[in-house]
Amino acid sequence: MAELKQLYTLQTDEDFLRLSFPLNSREVRQLEQRILENGCNTPIRVWNSYIVMDFETYEICHKHKIPFSIVRIPLKERIEVIAYICQMQIKERKMTLNHLEELKKQD
């Protein structure tokens, strides 16, 4: 369940960020325009105080001081969060199995 809208201060985990494929510049502009026109209607996914996904949304909201809600991901271990991010990226078709193989080689 999403928490009330406010301007949360969250942390960025570099591994979580690395696993999230960024929007291209056109997509960021479209997201920013949508947030400016309608406010932030999609909660930012968070584990403890770390952004799990939706990094661009967080940056846009802070840039324009637009309150947003968060939804806490109920996982216990960091490795579970990493698996969750990979699953969501595949589900949203942002990450292919080839990307996963490349990430494995980097560690």
Side-chain angles (χ1 to χ4, degrees), residues 80-96:
E80 293 175 296
V81 178
I82 289 171
Y84 170 83
I85 293 168
C86 292
Q87 289 171 345
M88 293 307 295
Q89 292 291 316
I90 291 169
K91 182 179 178 182
E92 295 172 4
R93 295 192 173 109
K94 294 180 182 175
M95 181 185 289
T96 65

Side-chain angles (χ1 to χ4, degrees), residues 25-70:
S25 59
R26 186 176 129 263
E27 292 169 324
V28 170
R29 284 193 307 275
Q30 289 174 337
L31 176 62
E32 186 168 22
Q33 188 63 37
R34 195 167 46 249
I35 290 172
L36 288 171
E37 290 174 3
N38 304 313
C40 186
N41 297 315
T42 304
I44 293 176
R45 291 167 273 190
V46 174
W47 177 71
N48 293 337
S49 62
Y50 291 94
I51 303 167
V52 173
M53 298 180 75
D54 316 303
F55 293 93
E56 293 94 345
T57 299
Y58 178 80
E59 293 299 323
I60 291 166
C61 287
H62 269 270
K63 175 181 174 183
H64 297 287
K65 298 187 181 0
I66 296 172
F68 55 91
S69 59
I70 62 172

Side-chain angles (χ1 to χ4, degrees), residues 18-19 21 86 90 94-107:
R18 182 172 56 93
L19 290 170
F21 286 87
C86 292
I90 291 169
K94 294 180 182 175
M95 181 185 289
T96 65
L97 294 177
N98 289 337
H99 290 127
L100 285 176
E101 290 301 317
E102 289 299 316
L103 289 170
K104 285 182 191 176
K105 291 176 187 175
Q106 292 177 13
D107 289 337

